[in-house]
Amino acid sequence: DAEKLEGLPVAPFMDREKVTKPTAQVGFIQYVLIPLYESLARLFPEIREPILAPVNRAFDYYSDMSRKQKEIELAGEQKAAERKASLASSEGSQNVERKTSVTSKE
């Protein structure tokens, strides 16, 4: 927030307008936790299942949540575009009707 106020660039993963909890979690799990825990599991094979299974479940959970959120956003954008097109279309037909009525009065 402070960077934006000062006109400075904002790190992509820190922008409140672009980052959601699911996408942040997916990135953190994918790029921090899984590589870390896989390295630990190579050193200590007996912890592979107990440590990686919950992380993989969390990754699947947040990936699914992120996908659903994107679908909802896209549906909202499509509805907004359809409303805008509908308004533009109705304004266009109103303008044609006005021109027709002005022409017929002359």
Side-chain angles (χ1 to χ4, degrees):
D1 293 339
E3 291 90 351
K4 276 190 179 181
L5 291 174
E6 295 184 25
L8 298 170
V10 180
F13 61 91
M14 298 299 284
D15 190 344
R16 291 179 193 265
E17 294 175 12
K18 297 179 182 170
V19 176
T20 64
K21 181 177 180 181
T23 59
Q25 292 294 77
V26 166
F28 183 74
I29 293 168
Q30 184 175 12
Y31 297 110
V32 177
L33 292 184
I34 291 175
L36 173 66
Y37 290 170
E38 283 179 343
S39 295
L40 283 171
R42 280 194 292 278
L43 290 171
F44 307 103
E46 63 277 3
I47 68 167
R48 174 174 280 293
E49 185 58 30
I51 202 168
L52 278 173
V55 171
N56 286 325
R57 281 194 305 274
F59 179 78
D60 292 342
Y61 173 80
Y62 284 111
S63 294
D64 187 49
M65 188 183 290
S66 178
R67 182 184 47 76
K68 287 177 183 175
Q69 193 169 36
K70 286 178 187 172
E71 288 172 359
I72 290 168
E73 289 171 7
L74 285 174
E77 289 171 8
Q78 286 176 333
K79 283 185 180 181
E82 289 169 2
R83 271 184 261 142
K84 187 176 180 181
S86 175
L87 285 173
S89 174
S90 69
E91 286 176 2
S93 28
Q94 287 174 359
N95 288 337
V96 169
E97 289 172 13
R98 284 187 200 129
K99 287 179 184 178
T100 307
S101 69
V102 170
T103 308
S104 62
K105 288 179 184 178
E106 294 173 358

